[in-house]
Amino acid sequence: MHCARACRGLISRRSHTVLRAWRLQSRAAAAGPDLSGIYPPIATPFTAREEVDAEKLEENLQKYAEVPFKGLVVQGSNGEYPYLTAAERVEVVRTVRRSLPPGRLLMAGSGCESTRATVQLTEKMASAGADAALVVTPSFYKGKMDSRALIRHFTKVADSSPVPVVLYSVPANTGLDLPLEAVVELSQHPNIRGLKDSGGDITRIGLIVHKTKMEDFQVLAGSAGFLMAAYCVGAVGGVCALANVLGRELCELERLCRSGRWDEARVLQQRLIEPNAAVTRKLGVPALKQAMEWFGFHGGACRSPLQPLTEAETQQLRRDFSSNGWL
Amino acid sequence: MHCARACRGLISRRSHTVLRAWRLQSRAAAAGPDLSGIYPPIATPFTAREEVDAEKLEENLQKYAEVPFKGLVVQGSNGEYPYLTAAERVEVVRTVRRSLPPGRLLMAGSGCESTRATVQLTEKMASAGADAALVVTPSFYKGKMDSRALIRHFTKVADSSPVPVVLYSVPANTGLDLPLEAVVELSQHPNIRGLKDSGGDITRIGLIVHKTKMEDFQVLAGSAGFLMAAYCVGAVGGVCALANVLGRELCELERLCRSGRWDEARVLQQRLIEPNAAVTRKLGVPALKQAMEWFGFHGGACRSPLQPLTEAETQQLRRDFSSNGWL
Amino acid sequence: MHCARACRGLISRRSHTVLRAWRLQSRAAAAGPDLSGIYPPIATPFTAREEVDAEKLEENLQKYAEVPFKGLVVQGSNGEYPYLTAAERVEVVRTVRRSLPPGRLLMAGSGCESTRATVQLTEKMASAGADAALVVTPSFYKGKMDSRALIRHFTKVADSSPVPVVLYSVPANTGLDLPLEAVVELSQHPNIRGLKDSGGDITRIGLIVHKTKMEDFQVLAGSAGFLMAAYCVGAVGGVCALANVLGRELCELERLCRSGRWDEARVLQQRLIEPNAAVTRKLGVPALKQAMEWFGFHGGACRSPLQPLTEAETQQLRRDFSSNGWL
Amino acid sequence: MHCARACRGLISRRSHTVLRAWRLQSRAAAAGPDLSGIYPPIATPFTAREEVDAEKLEENLQKYAEVPFKGLVVQGSNGEYPYLTAAERVEVVRTVRRSLPPGRLLMAGSGCESTRATVQLTEKMASAGADAALVVTPSFYKGKMDSRALIRHFTKVADSSPVPVVLYSVPANTGLDLPLEAVVELSQHPNIRGLKDSGGDITRIGLIVHKTKMEDFQVLAGSAGFLMAAYCVGAVGGVCALANVLGRELCELERLCRSGRWDEARVLQQRLIEPNAAVTRKLGVPALKQAMEWFGFHGGACRSPLQPLTEAETQQLRRDFSSNGWL
């Protein structure tokens, strides 16, 4: 709290004042797009030589166009963004933009370790057609990434971004949880639209919803494992790796939650936990891509050092889908 | 999974067979009591000389009698059980039994580090009037407390216990999460009735509900912070430190969840997260006892080495209640 | 630092003043025994019915009498103390006292979770013949066991203890490292003689030696894996599970370190790391007891819930000794 | 172990065979340079606009030329490499090469998240004049970075690298410790020369030295806090942030350790622990750069999101140097 309060003074007040005034005039516009709904954080298909395979990507996109997603997340963690150059990241976004049906949101991962690189990539992503920028916490110098540093980082990025910013906290990869006090502070920034929380601490998610309720700020669950619980405590949607595979089912789960049919939702949610864990925490992106193949999408291999699944892992993956009736 | 399967053979099959047959004959009886509802894990008041203060305890109990709790948990973590002798633990249970209105469940914490001590204390707790035994995971030799060891431990305890056993996983204190595969295996034991899960991983809680649904097995949320979310994914109640202070409010939250009034529930749940965090994770039992004083109960000091709150901590605690409208 | 300074005022100043004056008069006496040397933290043999087996214990003690140990640690972690009653813990110490050759130190584990229980058990241990008390950090309420609480706890115990106190930090079991600032503060207590540090952070050990060098305070390595390095940075000995098995070799390693024969020491140290890891971190007390059997001591089974090694674990254990030339 | 053995088959056997044959012919050459000695992992000075300040860098280099370092590490963690573009990283190396006195080793950090990017950057670093490549573990997909993946990654990089490779494990930043079994396996690669271990687990370091002693493989301590202990167990030098500030003192510590003057070494080592902790774990690169200013070097600000020290942090930093007699 302390820190947040101390920092408030540091944030470029002018841009805030201007933007907030503008927001009061045209609230809907300032608020940015409504984020609510389900998004697959799409995988990046590669050729045998580990080059981005635009053709296969487009074939996947055609299939996703038939699923009632709110939009797509491009170059999130499941897109193997740390393995792509900045140019490749932008090019993938451009490719997706071309294929995206009207009305769908394109959220592009533009986070880098340094503030300056993030600012630059966010601008490029906007130029390439992104509707919003999903900005992951920088994390290499974890010990120094306190609220003060993170508030400054995200504020600078949001100040200069041509499109709304969505904060992204994914401790399983970064070893860092965006502190609650930083989220609350940043939620007041007129160009910060929401948070994708992949940590899965439902108490924290509930508290974030509670403490940001006066702002135009929305919370998205970062995984299908706790999607229903997140809706229950006030989240408005989910960015779920599993949506690459079982997209329709996740959209159905969303529909049940939003229409208050919790008993039906519970049954569906429970069958999704193990498949979801398999393609995320347990076996990761290689498993996600393997499952995509089983369900008619192009998955294929990851860039090295991510390795193909072993035979035992593949069996485990299959079991996690089949024992829940999906295969 | 592996391990669980390997272990199944090790578990005293005979007792299982006998008990299961008996269970089939009289399922309701075998299933043990319905655990659903809210329980305060009551604090233990001490005199100035750190002796158990039975008088103050009874005065608290009289007040709790007016709240629609399902029952009480006695000698759980908030009862400072590691600071009491076995004799004191039993005596407190006996005191509570005398005051408890009919129809209320008395769940007594009887877990010790060794299996033999747990077996003995469980028997004493039953003799002293406990309706069920809440058995925490042994945890000192964490590295060796794998599923194999824990399944054996809980099976032996449940085999010999005169009352139904409720498993208790509280990683914040023990540094150990009862593995999911062990929970699933143990849920099949006819004298194991449920799990109190204080870890708060809602994905795990949902999966436990899913994988034990064929058994007479119930899951209780171990903290008020994720009570609503736990109901949402299939838990049937909660053992919540905060119920010592805001018992009526937690019972009201339960009522809203069980009657499907989720929007009202959400508003109430959100206001409870910070007070709950204050009396558990952030400031612990001394804060719980301080808050009890504010709300008309006897709290008082803890046994050493637990220290009274500092002035700054007391202010923080007050803020966490007042900013949510409780003080 | 802060906290330590703040706490200093809280500590019973009178006892300090009296004891310190007395210490100045007869420094050697006040300082308590010189702790330097090697100690096995002896295992507790049990009968088939899990009762303490005094006979086997005595046979082990006769063999240890021939090894140039400085003394023995009784009822440390490897003695399965959390599985013994207070009465059993005292009785084992009494048994050891009877067999101990003159001139050897008997250090008895007397730590409990509550301050009052620790005070009482420490007195009983002294009456039973302990020369010093090894007092582990209380740890159940980890979140509240900050420097303030721990300084108070150890100060009260040391104030009343008839024998010198040795602090004991073993984070692998307790999930808690005694904070450096607390160690430094406590090192000034006239009845606190040293620290057994089992965490193995050699930077911390070096810093503790540095910051306590003005006091009569000695540091013992809590494991054979970093014994040589600990000597190198200023420790004076070790309490090492492996000394139950390879006692002569550890005494030889001590001799090499103390006489500055570091090259020879290094060769010996390196051959001890894997056997040590096997009987501690990797496979625990059951492995220690199995290895004791191989080397002519009584090990036997542990109390439940500790399980006997699986066949695969036994082979792993054998490999860790044989690949280093010990079997 | 398992995994390592399983993987061995996967590694490009041909390159191994060829390189190993060549190594047998000219062992000294194949072994690559002797790494023993002290290296500062140099900081990167920036202008007020956060551009690399080549001028200030060169002035620092002139001062370092007078200290008896073995060489320099360029674009390690203290060089803020995650905040530089690949082009900037190479350019800094080129600048350093120009200024480096003959006989000094230039070790360049060339690790990236993907194998392909690491291969490319390593080649560029060699072209820019690096004598060896320091390759950090990729870590974003931690859950999948097991021994199999890491062995493959480093093998591919070493197979193609024009200069010897030094492995780099820095869990405080990456959340990942290069597994011992992977180190042992990789130590057999003819183009992998050693390991910089910044984790500080001295038991692990001793074991690595032990298990790689048949190879041309050298271990460097990754921090000044455990430099003496690392020498004691068989390391041959250190890459220490603190060498940017107290370079002469660290070289003196090295000299004392290598000439067996352990008592003098201990006194010096102990005075270096707190300053070292301050510029690494506690206060990070901003503190390192601040201390550099105090000692006559160009430090300056870091790239954002790293923030300048607060006033309280600056005082803490000063205290950690002054209380040990360095300021």
Short mmCIF file of all heavy atoms in Angstrom, two decimals, chain C residues 44-75:
data_model
loop_
_atom_site.label_atom_id
_atom_site.label_comp_id
_atom_site.label_asym_id
_atom_site.label_seq_id
_atom_site.Cartn_x
_atom_site.Cartn_y
_atom_site.Cartn_z
N THR C 44 17.36 -43.71 17.12
CA THR C 44 16.70 -44.44 18.21
C THR C 44 16.24 -45.80 17.69
O THR C 44 15.36 -45.85 16.83
CB THR C 44 15.47 -43.65 18.71
OG1 THR C 44 15.86 -42.32 19.03
CG2 THR C 44 14.86 -44.32 19.94
N PRO C 45 16.83 -46.89 18.18
CA PRO C 45 16.36 -48.20 17.72
C PRO C 45 15.03 -48.56 18.39
O PRO C 45 14.80 -48.21 19.55
CB PRO C 45 17.45 -49.17 18.19
CG PRO C 45 18.55 -48.33 18.76
CD PRO C 45 17.96 -47.00 19.12
N PHE C 46 14.18 -49.24 17.64
CA PHE C 46 12.89 -49.66 18.17
C PHE C 46 12.77 -51.18 18.09
O PHE C 46 13.41 -51.82 17.25
CB PHE C 46 11.74 -49.03 17.38
CG PHE C 46 11.69 -47.54 17.49
CD1 PHE C 46 12.01 -46.73 16.41
CD2 PHE C 46 11.34 -46.93 18.69
CE1 PHE C 46 11.98 -45.35 16.52
CE2 PHE C 46 11.30 -45.54 18.80
CZ PHE C 46 11.63 -44.75 17.72
N THR C 47 11.93 -51.73 18.94
CA THR C 47 11.59 -53.15 18.84
C THR C 47 10.57 -53.32 17.71
O THR C 47 10.11 -52.34 17.12
CB THR C 47 10.94 -53.63 20.14
OG1 THR C 47 9.68 -52.94 20.29
CG2 THR C 47 11.81 -53.32 21.34
N ALA C 48 10.22 -54.57 17.46
CA ALA C 48 9.25 -54.86 16.40
C ALA C 48 7.91 -54.18 16.71
O ALA C 48 7.14 -53.88 15.80
CB ALA C 48 9.06 -56.36 16.26
N ARG C 49 7.65 -53.92 17.99
CA ARG C 49 6.38 -53.27 18.34
C ARG C 49 6.54 -51.77 18.47
O ARG C 49 5.73 -51.09 19.09
CB ARG C 49 5.84 -53.87 19.64
CG ARG C 49 5.74 -55.43 19.52
CD ARG C 49 4.91 -55.99 20.62
NE ARG C 49 3.59 -55.37 20.64
CZ ARG C 49 2.56 -55.87 21.29
NH1 ARG C 49 2.70 -56.99 21.97
NH2 ARG C 49 1.41 -55.25 21.29
N GLU C 50 7.64 -51.28 17.93
CA GLU C 50 7.88 -49.82 17.92
C GLU C 50 8.16 -49.23 19.29
O GLU C 50 8.03 -48.01 19.49
CB GLU C 50 6.71 -49.08 17.23
CG GLU C 50 6.58 -49.37 15.75
CD GLU C 50 5.74 -48.31 14.99
OE1 GLU C 50 5.36 -47.29 15.59
OE2 GLU C 50 5.51 -48.50 13.78
N GLU C 51 8.56 -50.07 20.25
CA GLU C 51 8.99 -49.53 21.54
C GLU C 51 10.49 -49.21 21.47
O GLU C 51 11.23 -49.85 20.72
CB GLU C 51 8.75 -50.55 22.67
CG GLU C 51 7.30 -50.95 22.84
CD GLU C 51 6.39 -49.77 23.17
OE1 GLU C 51 6.86 -48.82 23.84
OE2 GLU C 51 5.22 -49.77 22.72
N VAL C 52 10.94 -48.23 22.26
CA VAL C 52 12.36 -47.92 22.30
C VAL C 52 13.12 -49.16 22.77
O VAL C 52 12.75 -49.78 23.77
CB VAL C 52 12.64 -46.74 23.26
CG1 VAL C 52 14.13 -46.51 23.39
CG2 VAL C 52 11.93 -45.48 22.78
N ASP C 53 14.16 -49.51 22.03
CA ASP C 53 14.93 -50.72 22.34
C ASP C 53 16.24 -50.32 23.03
O ASP C 53 17.26 -50.08 22.39
CB ASP C 53 15.20 -51.49 21.04
CG ASP C 53 15.76 -52.88 21.30
OD1 ASP C 53 16.46 -53.04 22.33
OD2 ASP C 53 15.50 -53.78 20.49
N ALA C 54 16.20 -50.27 24.37
CA ALA C 54 17.34 -49.75 25.13
C ALA C 54 18.58 -50.63 24.96
O ALA C 54 19.71 -50.13 24.95
CB ALA C 54 16.97 -49.65 26.61
N GLU C 55 18.34 -51.92 24.78
CA GLU C 55 19.47 -52.84 24.65
C GLU C 55 20.27 -52.56 23.38
O GLU C 55 21.49 -52.43 23.41
CB GLU C 55 18.90 -54.26 24.60
CG GLU C 55 19.82 -55.32 25.12
CD GLU C 55 19.05 -56.64 25.25
OE1 GLU C 55 17.98 -56.65 25.93
OE2 GLU C 55 19.49 -57.62 24.62
N LYS C 56 19.56 -52.46 22.29
CA LYS C 56 20.24 -52.18 21.02
C LYS C 56 20.90 -50.80 21.06
O LYS C 56 21.98 -50.60 20.51
CB LYS C 56 19.25 -52.26 19.86
CG LYS C 56 18.85 -53.69 19.54
CD LYS C 56 18.07 -53.77 18.24
CE LYS C 56 17.78 -55.23 17.89
NZ LYS C 56 16.79 -55.33 16.81
N LEU C 57 20.23 -49.88 21.69
CA LEU C 57 20.80 -48.55 21.83
C LEU C 57 22.15 -48.64 22.53
O LEU C 57 23.15 -48.06 22.08
CB LEU C 57 19.84 -47.67 22.63
CG LEU C 57 20.31 -46.26 23.01
CD1 LEU C 57 20.68 -45.45 21.77
CD2 LEU C 57 19.23 -45.52 23.81
N GLU C 58 22.20 -49.41 23.62
CA GLU C 58 23.46 -49.52 24.37
C GLU C 58 24.55 -50.20 23.56
O GLU C 58 25.72 -49.82 23.64
CB GLU C 58 23.22 -50.25 25.70
CG GLU C 58 22.66 -49.28 26.75
CD GLU C 58 22.02 -49.97 27.95
OE1 GLU C 58 22.26 -51.18 28.13
OE2 GLU C 58 21.26 -49.30 28.68
N GLU C 59 24.18 -51.17 22.76
CA GLU C 59 25.19 -51.81 21.91
C GLU C 59 25.77 -50.82 20.89
O GLU C 59 26.97 -50.82 20.62
CB GLU C 59 24.59 -53.03 21.21
CG GLU C 59 24.34 -54.19 22.19
CD GLU C 59 23.72 -55.41 21.53
OE1 GLU C 59 23.93 -55.59 20.31
OE2 GLU C 59 23.02 -56.15 22.22
N ASN C 60 24.90 -50.00 20.35
CA ASN C 60 25.41 -48.95 19.45
C ASN C 60 26.36 -48.02 20.19
O ASN C 60 27.43 -47.65 19.69
CB ASN C 60 24.26 -48.12 18.88
CG ASN C 60 23.50 -48.84 17.76
OD1 ASN C 60 23.97 -49.85 17.22
ND2 ASN C 60 22.33 -48.32 17.41
N LEU C 61 25.98 -47.66 21.41
CA LEU C 61 26.79 -46.71 22.19
C LEU C 61 28.17 -47.28 22.47
O LEU C 61 29.18 -46.54 22.44
CB LEU C 61 26.07 -46.36 23.50
CG LEU C 61 24.76 -45.58 23.33
CD1 LEU C 61 24.01 -45.50 24.66
CD2 LEU C 61 25.01 -44.18 22.79
N GLN C 62 28.23 -48.58 22.72
CA GLN C 62 29.54 -49.19 22.96
C GLN C 62 30.44 -49.04 21.74
O GLN C 62 31.64 -48.81 21.86
CB GLN C 62 29.37 -50.67 23.32
CG GLN C 62 28.93 -50.87 24.77
CD GLN C 62 28.44 -52.28 25.04
OE1 GLN C 62 28.85 -53.21 24.36
NE2 GLN C 62 27.55 -52.43 26.01
N LYS C 63 29.85 -49.19 20.57
CA LYS C 63 30.67 -49.03 19.35
C LYS C 63 31.08 -47.57 19.15
O LYS C 63 32.20 -47.28 18.74
CB LYS C 63 29.91 -49.55 18.15
CG LYS C 63 29.87 -51.08 18.15
CD LYS C 63 29.05 -51.64 17.01
CE LYS C 63 28.94 -53.16 17.17
NZ LYS C 63 27.63 -53.65 16.71
N TYR C 64 30.16 -46.66 19.43
CA TYR C 64 30.49 -45.24 19.26
C TYR C 64 31.58 -44.81 20.23
O TYR C 64 32.33 -43.86 19.97
CB TYR C 64 29.25 -44.36 19.46
CG TYR C 64 28.23 -44.50 18.34
CD1 TYR C 64 26.87 -44.40 18.60
CD2 TYR C 64 28.63 -44.74 17.02
CE1 TYR C 64 25.93 -44.53 17.59
CE2 TYR C 64 27.69 -44.86 16.01
CZ TYR C 64 26.35 -44.77 16.29
OH TYR C 64 25.43 -44.90 15.28
N ALA C 65 31.66 -45.54 21.38
CA ALA C 65 32.67 -45.17 22.39
C ALA C 65 34.08 -45.30 21.83
O ALA C 65 35.02 -44.64 22.32
CB ALA C 65 32.49 -46.03 23.63
N GLU C 66 34.24 -46.12 20.79
CA GLU C 66 35.59 -46.33 20.23
C GLU C 66 35.94 -45.31 19.16
O GLU C 66 37.07 -45.30 18.66
CB GLU C 66 35.67 -47.74 19.64
CG GLU C 66 35.48 -48.83 20.70
CD GLU C 66 35.11 -50.17 20.07
OE1 GLU C 66 35.44 -50.36 18.87
OE2 GLU C 66 34.49 -51.00 20.76
N VAL C 67 35.00 -44.50 18.78
CA VAL C 67 35.25 -43.49 17.73
C VAL C 67 35.56 -42.16 18.41
O VAL C 67 34.93 -41.82 19.41
CB VAL C 67 34.01 -43.35 16.82
CG1 VAL C 67 34.31 -42.41 15.66
CG2 VAL C 67 33.55 -44.71 16.31
N PRO C 68 36.55 -41.42 17.92
CA PRO C 68 36.95 -40.18 18.62
C PRO C 68 35.98 -39.02 18.45
O PRO C 68 36.36 -37.92 18.06
CB PRO C 68 38.31 -39.86 18.01
CG PRO C 68 38.30 -40.48 16.65
CD PRO C 68 37.44 -41.70 16.77
N PHE C 69 34.71 -39.27 18.76
CA PHE C 69 33.72 -38.20 18.73
C PHE C 69 33.96 -37.22 19.88
O PHE C 69 34.50 -37.60 20.92
CB PHE C 69 32.31 -38.78 18.90
CG PHE C 69 31.83 -39.61 17.73
CD1 PHE C 69 31.25 -40.86 17.95
CD2 PHE C 69 31.92 -39.14 16.43
CE1 PHE C 69 30.78 -41.62 16.88
CE2 PHE C 69 31.45 -39.90 15.36
CZ PHE C 69 30.89 -41.14 15.59
N LYS C 70 33.49 -36.00 19.69
CA LYS C 70 33.50 -35.05 20.80
C LYS C 70 32.38 -35.39 21.79
O LYS C 70 32.51 -35.17 22.99
CB LYS C 70 33.28 -33.63 20.26
CG LYS C 70 33.22 -32.57 21.36
CD LYS C 70 34.51 -32.61 22.21
CE LYS C 70 34.56 -31.44 23.17
NZ LYS C 70 35.32 -30.32 22.62
N GLY C 71 31.30 -35.91 21.26
CA GLY C 71 30.17 -36.27 22.10
C GLY C 71 29.06 -36.83 21.24
O GLY C 71 29.29 -37.22 20.09
N LEU C 72 27.87 -36.86 21.81
CA LEU C 72 26.72 -37.38 21.08
C LEU C 72 25.58 -36.36 21.15
O LEU C 72 25.42 -35.68 22.16
CB LEU C 72 26.21 -38.69 21.70
CG LEU C 72 27.17 -39.86 21.83
CD1 LEU C 72 26.47 -41.04 22.50
CD2 LEU C 72 27.69 -40.30 20.46
N VAL C 73 24.80 -36.31 20.07
CA VAL C 73 23.55 -35.57 20.13
C VAL C 73 22.43 -36.60 20.28
O VAL C 73 22.33 -37.54 19.48
CB VAL C 73 23.33 -34.70 18.89
CG1 VAL C 73 21.88 -34.28 18.75
CG2 VAL C 73 24.22 -33.47 18.96
N VAL C 74 21.62 -36.44 21.30
CA VAL C 74 20.57 -37.40 21.59
C VAL C 74 19.22 -36.69 21.43
O VAL C 74 19.04 -35.59 21.93
CB VAL C 74 20.73 -37.94 23.02
CG1 VAL C 74 19.72 -39.06 23.29
CG2 VAL C 74 22.15 -38.43 23.24
N GLN C 75 18.33 -37.34 20.71
CA GLN C 75 17.01 -36.75 20.44
C GLN C 75 17.07 -35.50 19.57
O GLN C 75 16.36 -34.53 19.78
CB GLN C 75 16.22 -36.47 21.74
CG GLN C 75 15.84 -37.76 22.44
CD GLN C 75 15.10 -38.70 21.49
OE1 GLN C 75 14.07 -38.33 20.92
NE2 GLN C 75 15.66 -39.88 21.28
#
